[in-house]
């Protein structure tokens, strides 16, 4: 197992290097430069040139890339032009907020999605199955940002049950309840689509398992139906559900960008959008590389988890 | 079947638990306490260093934290004393000597003296100053006339100018004229923008990235302590979310209400404020080449565009039709006799026929958004339709704001025939001087991207700059406006009326024609 993990970790290195090249190239290719963004409407070509020189952006691209990469390997992601703050501090702080949001959404969609899929499968073609299939289809079809806006309008503005936006109360205590209060709407909006996808795939995974011999054996041995479904069948189905969860975790994380904007959540997605608009090159590059590295690590984790659950997967 | 019943029970239980927890939590929805004003801002500030900022969004905070030597009198764009109690101007208009207010301290405790004034300006203007690299200072050109700042004694400071420069006092009241703490800059260097210290009515307390900037009342403020205990500036970039926060009571004051949302705030619970300011939204026409090199064609464009429809329908009445290059907010310098070009497509067609221009192809630069640009895409497409109705063939090219500036500021030659633009300025001199003179063509470092040139206009603007008598200046500007309107280097489109909404808990708030947000007299119950 240790060797398998090590092998997966080593194979991640070229992936990460590729990401740095792509991110760097994209930022170099898009029009607009940080000097114009910093100087605003009052950017004369002369001042733009001078400022770009001061920022070290007049060097050849290849040189810029290696300087950046070299610093990053040593843990220095540079300083954001627009925030005047070390990129890594900003990214870590914001990533934390995103993890809280995406993590909560992930828990919601995994629990609800798997439960809905199992119930659906256990009652195939019954009314419960039909109702769940209908709701799931509805959930998959609604764009999360639209759902988010509607939630704000109804639950925050009309009913005043939850705050409209932000992560913490602007004034008042900052405890777990305050955080949960701010989390309910954005996490639910974010979870809806993924819940639907997980429910559908869990349903088919369960149906496949339920048709197998060992289920018949369990039933013949007199295991209670609840035990058959939740203990025997679900456990076997998890092997095919876990990769889906892994993909959905990535989906939730990237979907968080829209939700962060609608709900003004101070996460990494919103940070990246702002940074792109401000041409804050180092912040965009650092942010994307960090997020990409997290994805890669996450995928390795999912693979490892899967191989632990299913001994048939060679390690 | 047992499975379903259990699940049903489970769902019921879960639902009940959720409902209970919602009930429990909803009570915890905190409204801000009295005395604390929560302002919904349009974006995260870039910096709170007044020498480095250029955006209105940042000015809205900075002008509550810093003072200048002078400031605009409440509700006007006229200059009155602030940190300077009075001043004298030499006969030839090149030496300004200011007497400074006594006993004023910066928020970090260091005293306000002539030394701090000198430091503020030298830092911005002298490339060899030890703290010059804590910039950049994009608006330092407003102070470009200063050749030296000298400390006469602790409370007297003398500015020497290269030449007489009439907008000087008015520029001192703008953001690059705000006085920064010397100790603060020395301590924080380039980080000063995140650790600001001034002498203003509010002192900086906290900057929580993308959440809020908090300032607290300065009890020792020389002009009397403010009524509020604290102000929280919240960046809420999404206009719909900002509106929702205002409706839900999460913020007390909201600036830049989207035109379509204004109707939400009718009724007693809210007050909608509106104030015209020194803003012009115009189209730069390329007078160097292509169809707009002909004055008749430029005039035709001015007749062809239905500006009333633009301000009433696209902008829902949040702007007024512009008549010329100078906004009416500069009351003393504005030519009241100027009438906007009327919407007259027939006249436009006649002028085009007279100029012998038919079916001319135009490349039109449109931006997606940007400072003061209002609703640039919708406005651009409406303008395109109006121009096509009189026989132009208009091709729109849309750019993101920074890319747009990078294309437009170096000049339109060889690229485009027209481009959208908007300026917000503090003095009637700034915009025409930087964008209409021959000497302001892009290759000379100015913003005259359409290459307009009229020797008479150049002469008037140079003369207005050195005229020390305001009536004389006013006469010169008024004459300039008549010529520029006739020459039509731009299509004069709109003057924005800024707006804001306050809840019924807020008293004593008014918008300023300077577009600054001054909150020291505001009360929140």
């Amino acid at each position: 197992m240790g060797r398998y993990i090590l092998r997966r970790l080593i194979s991640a290195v070229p992936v990460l290097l590729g990401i740095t090249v792509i991110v760097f190239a994209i930022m170099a290719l898009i029009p607009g430069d940080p000097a114009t963004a910093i100087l605003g409407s009052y950017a004369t070509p002369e001042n733009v040139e001078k400022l770009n020189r001061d920022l070290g952006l007049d060097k050849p691209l290849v040189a810029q890339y290696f300087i950046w990469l070299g610093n990053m390997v040593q843990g220095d992601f540079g300083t954001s032009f627009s925030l005047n703050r070390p990129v890594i501090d900003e990214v870590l702080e914001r990533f934390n907020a995103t993890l809280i949001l995406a993590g909560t959404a992930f828990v919601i969609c995994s629990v609800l999605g798997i439960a809905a899929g199992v119930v659906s499968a256990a009652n195939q073609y019954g009314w419960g199955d039909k109702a769940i299939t209908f709701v799931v289809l509805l959930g998959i079809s609604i764009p999360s940002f639209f759902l988010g806006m509607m939630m704000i309008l109804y639950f925050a503005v009309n009913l005043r049950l939850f705050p409209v936006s932000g992560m913490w109360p602007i004034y008042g205590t900052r405890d777990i309840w305050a955080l949960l209060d701010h989390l309910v709407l954005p996490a639910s909006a974010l979870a809806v689509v993924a819940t639907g996808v997980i429910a559908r795939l869990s349903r088919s995974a369960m149906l496949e398992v339920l048709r197998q011999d060992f289920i018949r054996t369990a039933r013949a041995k007199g295991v209670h139906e609840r035990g058959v479904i939740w203990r025997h069948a679900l456990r076997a189905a998890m092997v095919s559900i876990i990769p889906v969860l892994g993909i959905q975790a990535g989906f939730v994380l990237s979907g968080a960008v829209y939700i962060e904007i609608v709900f003004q959540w101070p996460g990494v997605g919103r940070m990246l959008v702002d940074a792109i608009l401000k041409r804050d090159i180092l912040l965009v590059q650092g942010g994307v590389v960090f997020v990409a590295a997290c994805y890669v690590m996450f995928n390795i984790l999912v693979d490892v988890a899967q191989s632990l659950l299913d001994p048939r997967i060679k390690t | 079947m047992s499975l379903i019943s259990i699940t049903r029970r489970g769902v019921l239980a879960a639902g009940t638990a959720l409902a209970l927890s919602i009930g429990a939590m909803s009570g915890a929805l905190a409204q801000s306490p009295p005395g604390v004003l929560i302002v919904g801002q349009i974006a995260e500030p870039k910096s709170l260093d007044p020498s480095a900022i250029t955006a209105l969004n940042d000015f809205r905070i900075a002008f509550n934290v810093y003072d200048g030597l002078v400031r605009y009198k409440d509700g006007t764009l006229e200059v009155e004393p602030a940190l300077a109690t009075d001043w004298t101007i030499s006969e030839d208009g090149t030496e300004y000597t200011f007497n400074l207010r006594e006993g004023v301290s910066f928020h970090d405790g260091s005293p306000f003296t002539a030394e701090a004034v000198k430091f503020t300006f030298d830092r911005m203007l002298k490339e060899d100053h030890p703290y010059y690299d804590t910039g950049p200072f994009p608006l330092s050109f407003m102070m470009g006339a200063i050749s030296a700042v000298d400390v006469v004694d602790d409370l007297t400071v003398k500015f020497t100018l290269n030449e007489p420069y009439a907008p000087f006092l008015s520029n001192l009241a703008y953001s690059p004229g705000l006085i920064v703490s010397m100790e603060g800059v020395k301590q924080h260097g380039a980080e000063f923008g995140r650790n600001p210290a001034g002498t203003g009515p509010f002192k900086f307390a906290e900057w929580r990235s993308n959440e809020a900037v908090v300032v607290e009342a300065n009890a020792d403020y020389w002009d009397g302590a403010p009524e509020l205990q604290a102000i929280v500036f919240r960046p809420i970039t999404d206009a719909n979310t900002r509106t929702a926060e205002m409706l839900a009571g999460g913020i007390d004051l909201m600036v830049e209400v989207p035109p379509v949302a204004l109707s939400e705030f009718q009724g007693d619970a809210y007050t909608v404020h509106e104030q015209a300011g020194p803003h012009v939204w115009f189209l730069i026409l390329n007078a160097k080449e292509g169809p707009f090199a002909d004055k008749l064609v430029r005039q035709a464009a001015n007749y062809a565009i239905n500006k009333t429809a633009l301000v009433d329908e696209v902008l829902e009445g949040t702007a007024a039709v512009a008549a010329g290059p100078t906004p009416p907010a500069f009351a003393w310098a504005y030519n009241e006799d100027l009438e906007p070009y009327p919407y007259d497509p027939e006249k436009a067609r006649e002028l085009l026929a007279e100029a012998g221009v038919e079916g001319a192809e135009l490349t039109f630069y449109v931006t997606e958004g940007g400072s003061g640009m209002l609703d640039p895409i919708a406005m651009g497409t409406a303008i395109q339709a109006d121009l096509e109705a009189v026989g132009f063939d208009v091709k729109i090219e849309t750019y993101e704001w920074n890319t747009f500036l990078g294309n437009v500021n170096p000049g339109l030659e060889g690229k485009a025939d027209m481009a959208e633009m908007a300026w917000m300025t503090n003095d009637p001199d700034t915009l025409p001087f930087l964008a209409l003179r021959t000497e302001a063509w892009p290759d000379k470092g100015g913003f005259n991207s359409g290459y307009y040139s009229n020797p008479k206009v150049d002469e008037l603007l140079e003369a207005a700059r050195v005229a020390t008598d305001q009536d004389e200046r006013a006469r010169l500007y008024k004459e300039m406006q008549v010529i520029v309107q006739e020459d039509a280097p731009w299509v004069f489109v709109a003057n924005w009326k800024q707006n804001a909404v306050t809840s019924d808990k807020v008293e004593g708030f008014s918008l300023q024609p300077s577009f600054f947000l001054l909150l020291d007299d505001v009360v929140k119950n």
Side-chain angles (χ1 to χ4, degrees):
Chain A
M1 197 57 178
R3 277 185 55 198
Y4 171 69
I5 295 175
L6 190 69
R7 211 167 56 228
R8 292 287 283 117
L9 282 176
I10 292 171
S11 72
V13 172
V15 175
L16 286 174
L17 268 179
I19 290 166
T20 62
V21 173
I22 292 169
V23 173
F24 187 85
I26 290 175
M27 284 313 283
L29 285 175
I30 58 166
D33 60 333
T36 315
I38 291 169
L39 297 169
S41 318
Y42 311 100
T44 62
E46 191 185 321
N47 289 346
V48 168
E49 196 188 324
K50 181 174 176 298
L51 187 53
N52 273 330
R53 204 165 51 237
D54 291 348
L55 295 171
L57 296 172
D58 57 335
K59 294 199 183 78
L61 280 180
V62 179
Q64 281 185 48
Y65 172 75
F66 281 106
I67 294 174
W68 172 62
L69 190 68
N71 288 339
M72 216 160 43
V73 170
Q74 296 164 42
D76 174 12
F77 282 62
T79 301
S80 148
F81 307 138
S82 64
L83 302 169
N84 234 327
R85 186 167 189 230
V87 166
I88 193 69
D89 291 1
E90 183 74 13
V91 171
L92 285 177
E93 198 178 302
R94 300 297 209 87
F95 194 68
N96 203 18
T98 298
L99 274 187
I100 291 174
L101 174 63
T104 311
F106 182 66
V107 170
I108 295 175
C109 69
S110 309
V111 172
L112 287 185
I114 293 173
V118 171
V119 173
S120 239
N123 300 279
Q124 197 185 6
Y125 306 132
W127 66 266
D129 184 23
K130 282 177 185 153
I132 287 173
T133 307
F134 175 75
V135 173
V136 158
L137 204 66
L138 200 71
I140 292 177
S141 318
I142 298 178
S144 56
F145 65 89
F146 176 75
L147 187 71
M149 285 183 201
M150 292 302 113
M151 282 176 150
I152 289 181
L153 194 62
Y154 189 70
F155 293 108
V157 175
N158 292 348
L159 296 182
R160 297 209 175 186
L161 279 177
F162 298 103
V164 173
S165 65
M167 182 170 169
W168 294 106
I170 277 301
Y171 244 81
T173 42
R174 294 189 160 207
D175 52 17
I176 181 79
W177 296 110
L179 179 62
L180 282 178
D181 198 19
H182 282 77
L183 255 176
V184 174
L185 295 185
S188 312
L190 182 55
V192 167
V193 176
T195 306
V197 175
I198 293 171
R200 289 181 70 150
L201 290 161
S202 308
R203 179 178 179 270
S204 42
M206 279 296 286
L207 286 176
E208 201 169 305
V209 171
L210 285 173
R211 266 185 242 117
Q212 288 176 12
D213 291 343
F214 78 95
I215 296 291
R216 206 176 310 134
T217 313
R219 282 189 177 132
K221 276 181 13 193
V223 177
H224 196 276
E225 184 64 13
R226 230 190 304 166
V228 170
I229 302 279
W230 293 103
R231 210 166 306 134
H232 295 264
L234 180 58
R235 191 165 168 188
M238 277 315 273
V239 176
S240 13
I241 294 176
I242 280 183
V244 176
L245 292 185
I247 293 167
Q248 290 307 307
F251 179 82
V252 166
L253 205 55
S254 54
V257 176
Y258 310 110
I259 293 299
E260 282 174 7
I261 289 169
V262 171
F263 287 91
Q264 298 294 307
W265 192 266
V268 79
R270 215 177 108 210
M271 179 202 80
L272 284 176
V273 173
D274 286 349
I276 289 168
L277 291 178
K278 290 179 190 157
R279 292 293 180 275
D280 194 336
I281 294 183
L282 287 175
L283 189 56
V284 177
Q285 290 172 341
V288 174
V289 168
F290 184 86
V291 173
C294 290
Y295 267 107
V296 172
M297 290 304 143
F298 191 78
N299 273 320
I300 294 175
L301 269 179
V302 171
D303 288 352
V304 170
Q306 208 182 353
S307 68
L308 284 177
L309 266 175
D310 187 353
R312 282 170 303 175
I313 294 173
K314 288 243 165 65
T315 54
Chain B
M1 275 297 105
S2 63
L3 184 73
I4 290 258
S5 64
I6 283 188
T7 316
R8 244 196 257 148
R9 237 187 289 152
V11 168
L12 260 177
T16 316
L18 189 69
L20 281 175
S21 62
I22 287 174
M25 278 191 286
S26 62
L29 249 191
Q31 296 284 340
S32 63
V36 176
L37 185 78
I38 303 191
V39 181
Q41 281 265 68
I42 59 164
E44 174 90 344
K46 267 186 192 168
S47 162
L48 294 177
D49 178 347
S51 313
I53 58 182
T54 60
L56 194 52
N57 183 61
D58 303 1
F59 292 172
R60 290 196 176 109
I61 305 175
F63 276 87
N64 290 293
V65 175
Y66 298 91
D67 293 306
L69 295 177
V70 295
R71 65 182 178 194
Y72 298 119
K73 209 179 283 177
D74 189 30
T76 72
L77 285 167
E78 281 166 48
V79 164
E80 70 173 9
L83 285 178
T85 50
D86 58 301
W87 54 88
T88 51
I89 307 173
S90 68
E91 278 289 305
D92 64 354
T94 59
E95 281 182 14
Y96 286 65
T97 311
F98 293 89
N99 291 314
L100 306 182
R101 201 168 287 280
E102 219 181 313
V104 177
S105 295
F106 287 102
H107 301 147
D108 57 13
S110 60
F112 164 71
T113 61
E115 201 58 53
V117 177
K118 181 178 167 57
F119 180 89
T120 297
F121 291 93
D122 284 355
R123 168 182 177 230
M124 215 173 358
L125 299 168
K126 292 194 164 169
E127 292 193 21
D128 56 353
H129 191 270
Y131 295 92
Y132 182 76
D133 62 358
T134 54
F137 308 113
L139 292 181
S140 60
F141 66 81
M142 295 178 78
M143 301 298 160
I146 299 175
S147 65
V149 184
D150 295 302
V151 174
V152 178
D153 61 49
D154 251 13
L155 292 174
T156 315
V157 66
K158 188 179 86 181
F159 288 75
T160 311
L161 310 186
N162 303 323
E163 55 177 352
Y165 177 50
F168 183 55
L169 278 178
S170 162
N171 284 358
L172 282 183
Y174 215 59
S175 89
L178 296 178
I179 307 298
V180 300
S181 158
M182 185 161 60
E183 295 306 319
V185 174
K186 283 182 178 167
Q187 189 187 337
H188 297 287
E191 302 275 298
F192 179 69
R194 279 190 90 91
N195 302 277
T199 58
F202 293 91
K203 34 184 173 183
F204 171 77
E206 195 184 0
W207 181 337
R208 304 199 291 264
S209 273
N210 262 279
E211 210 183 327
V213 171
V214 185
V215 296
E216 286 168 354
N218 173 8
D220 303 325
Y221 188 50
W222 57 268
D223 202 14
E227 303 281 344
L228 293 166
Q229 285 164 33
I231 313 171
V232 181
F233 293 92
R234 273 192 72 183
I236 308 177
T237 41
D238 187 83
N240 293 319
T241 309
R242 202 155 68 240
T243 308
E245 274 291 9
M246 190 70 210
L247 289 170
I251 53 180
D252 308 307
L253 162 64
M254 168 186 179
V255 294
E256 298 193 29
V257 186
V260 288
L262 275 173
S263 58
E264 299 281 339
F265 299 107
Q266 304 304 325
D268 294 342
Y270 305 100
T271 311
V272 177
H273 306 261
E274 211 178 57
Q275 168 78 56
H279 166 277
V280 204
W281 198 105
F282 55 97
L283 299 173
I284 304 171
L285 304 179
N286 184 343
K288 194 174 193 178
E289 56 181 16
F292 291 130
D294 187 336
K295 180 164 104 178
L296 295 178
V297 183
R298 298 199 298 267
Q299 288 176 337
N302 269 288
Y303 281 114
I305 293 166
N306 188 348
K307 287 157 277 197
T308 315
L310 279 173
V311 300
D312 288 346
E313 278 148 43
V314 179
L315 301 175
E316 311 241 355
T318 55
V321 173
T326 305
F330 295 122
W332 61 271
Y334 178 68
N335 192 335
E336 294 283 348
D337 300 335
L338 230 49
E339 285 293 330
Y341 276 90
Y343 172 52
D344 190 346
E346 223 17 75
K347 175 91 178 165
R349 280 189 207 101
E350 276 168 33
L351 287 168
L352 289 177
E354 196 184 332
V357 171
E358 258 173 72
E361 278 185 31
L362 300 176
T363 303
F364 178 18
Y365 278 178
V366 168
T367 177
E368 286 167 5
S371 173
M373 293 306 297
L374 310 181
D375 196 351
I377 292 185
M379 294 172 81
T381 46
I383 287 167
Q384 178 189 39
D386 284 345
L387 290 176
E388 294 200 329
V390 300
F392 287 106
D393 179 8
V394 184
K395 190 177 88 201
I396 283 185
E397 286 182 25
T398 310
Y399 295 96
E400 175 278 326
W401 179 235
N402 293 312
T403 317
F404 180 83
L405 289 175
N407 272 331
V408 173
N409 284 353
L412 297 183
E413 191 178 5
K415 293 184 287 194
D417 300 290
M418 53 197 281
E420 298 180 332
M421 191 45 75
W423 278 66
M424 285 183 261
T425 52
N426 67 314
D427 189 277
D429 169 77
T430 318
L431 174 59
F433 195 83
L434 287 173
L436 285 172
R437 273 178 323 133
T438 313
E439 281 298 307
W441 284 23
D443 54 345
K444 291 163 187 142
F447 296 91
N448 187 349
S449 307
Y451 318 96
Y452 171 62
S453 172
N454 183 328
K456 184 68 189 161
V457 169
D458 294 346
E459 196 182 300
L460 289 169
L461 288 171
E462 299 286 353
R465 220 170 213 229
V466 295
T468 38
D469 176 40
Q470 178 151 317
D471 292 340
E472 173 65 6
R473 275 186 82 197
R475 193 188 63 73
L476 296 165
Y477 287 131
K478 286 178 184 175
E479 196 182 337
M480 176 275 293
Q481 288 161 51
V482 174
I483 300 171
V484 171
Q485 196 200 34
E486 165 73 19
D487 280 348
W490 301 340
V491 176
F492 314 102
V493 178
N495 301 122
W496 180 46
K497 290 182 268 183
Q498 59 168 334
N499 60 29
V501 176
T502 49
S503 77
D504 52 6
K505 284 180 263 173
V506 177
E507 279 171 34
F509 174 75
S510 60
L511 286 166
Q512 298 293 328
S514 57
F515 287 140
F516 306 153
L517 198 65
L518 305 178
L519 299 170
D520 49 333
D521 292 330
V522 171
V523 177
K524 189 186 151 197
N525 303 312

